[in-house]
Amino acid sequence: MRPTRAIVNLSKLDENINQLRKVIKADARFMAIIKANAYGHGAIQVARQALDSGASWLGVAIPEEGAELRESGISAPILVLGGIDESQIKTVVEYDLSQCVFSLDTANLLEQEGKRLGKQVGVHIKIDTGMRRIGLVGLKEISEFCQQLKNKSHLRLEGIFTHFAAADEEDKSFTHEQSEQFSIALNMLYNIGIQFDCIH
């Protein structure tokens, strides 16, 4: 086997984030995705550089990745983008992570742990508009789920998001369909008095 070495120039990350910020609204917050050890580039180093370069949120796949960032001294908001099981609930709450939710069972467990520790837990609702991995489907399911979470005393409805399945393809028609579905869901929730600080 040949020895292989990767050289990561963190100043290039700064340059990339600056370029991306030029094409988004000035008041939009930027989330750097740090999952899978920052795609093999070093989670802690990349997270710190991303925050120094203007990111205000970090995204991870599992709570353990968020805990690692917290233990390194990073205090910025961190969102766990994937689903979790009961054994990971404590990590989310103890490390002040925000959690993607699409299951009432998970929401109830987060509520219980938040109550036990006297903490508010930020949750981001995942809407499945076509990725077909995880998330709520259909306006009735979305409405009922959000209304149930709104009444929980230790959950904070912090954000709502979807995942575009084909945004990098030349044909953008499916992405436009997903965007339209997401907008319809947001308008429906707005009309019943449910709003979010983060829409992504």
Side-chain angles (χ1 to χ4, degrees):
M1 182 167 31
R2 296 181 184 181
T4 304
R5 182 170 63 147
I7 299 171
V8 179
N9 184 339
L10 290 174
S11 69
K12 295 296 182 186
L13 181 62
D14 182 64
E15 196 175 302
N16 290 346
I17 290 176
N18 285 332
Q19 289 300 316
L20 289 167
R21 289 208 67 85
K22 288 179 183 177
V23 296
I24 61 176
K25 292 181 180 178
D27 61 346
R29 285 165 285 179
F30 187 93
M31 180 186 291
I33 306 303
I34 310 295
K35 65 182 183 177
N37 193 30
Y39 297 93
H41 294 90
I44 294 167
Q45 299 90 333
V46 170
R48 287 185 176 143
Q49 182 63 49
L51 292 167
D52 287 346
S53 300
S56 51
W57 275 80
L58 300 172
V60 295
I62 57 175
E64 293 77 11
E65 292 173 337
E68 178 189 22
L69 296 175
R70 287 280 184 256
E71 287 177 356
S72 76
I74 291 172
S75 60
I78 299 172
L79 173 61
V80 179
L81 292 160
I84 55 172
D85 68 25
E86 187 171 352
S87 68
Q88 296 170 301
I89 295 289
K90 186 176 179 183
T91 301
V92 170
V93 182
E94 279 190 352
Y95 284 93
D96 296 313
L97 307 175
S98 294
Q99 178 61 50
C100 155
V101 290
F102 49 91
S103 149
L104 198 54
D105 289 342
T106 298
N108 287 335
L109 289 168
L110 288 167
E111 166 76 6
Q112 289 167 20
E113 188 66 10
K115 185 175 183 180
R116 188 181 76 80
L117 295 177
K119 290 186 171 187
Q120 287 282 310
V121 184
V123 294
H124 290 232
I125 311 300
K126 174 66 189 295
I127 307 296
D128 182 359
T129 58
M131 191 72 179
R132 302 294 178 251
R133 285 187 190 163
I134 58 173
L136 303 168
V137 178
L139 295 178
K140 185 174 187 290
E141 182 181 25
I142 293 166
S143 171
E144 290 175 354
F145 184 79
C146 290
Q147 288 185 81
Q148 288 187 67
L149 265 59
K150 186 181 179 184
N151 295 323
K152 306 247 179 233
S153 60
H154 288 81
L155 296 186
R156 183 175 64 257
L157 290 181
E158 196 169 61
I160 187 167
F161 70 111
T162 195
H163 191 166
F164 293 132
D168 56 348
E169 294 179 11
E170 191 173 337
D171 181 357
K172 303 295 183 197
S173 56
F174 188 60
T175 300
H176 293 309
E177 286 177 32
Q178 285 189 265
S179 182
E180 179 64 19
Q181 285 184 50
F182 189 52
S183 294
I184 289 168
L186 290 175
N187 287 333
M188 178 268 298
L189 291 171
Y190 181 81
N191 287 334
I192 61 172
I194 299 175
Q195 298 182 55
F196 300 88
D197 184 44
C198 301
I199 298 170
H200 56 110

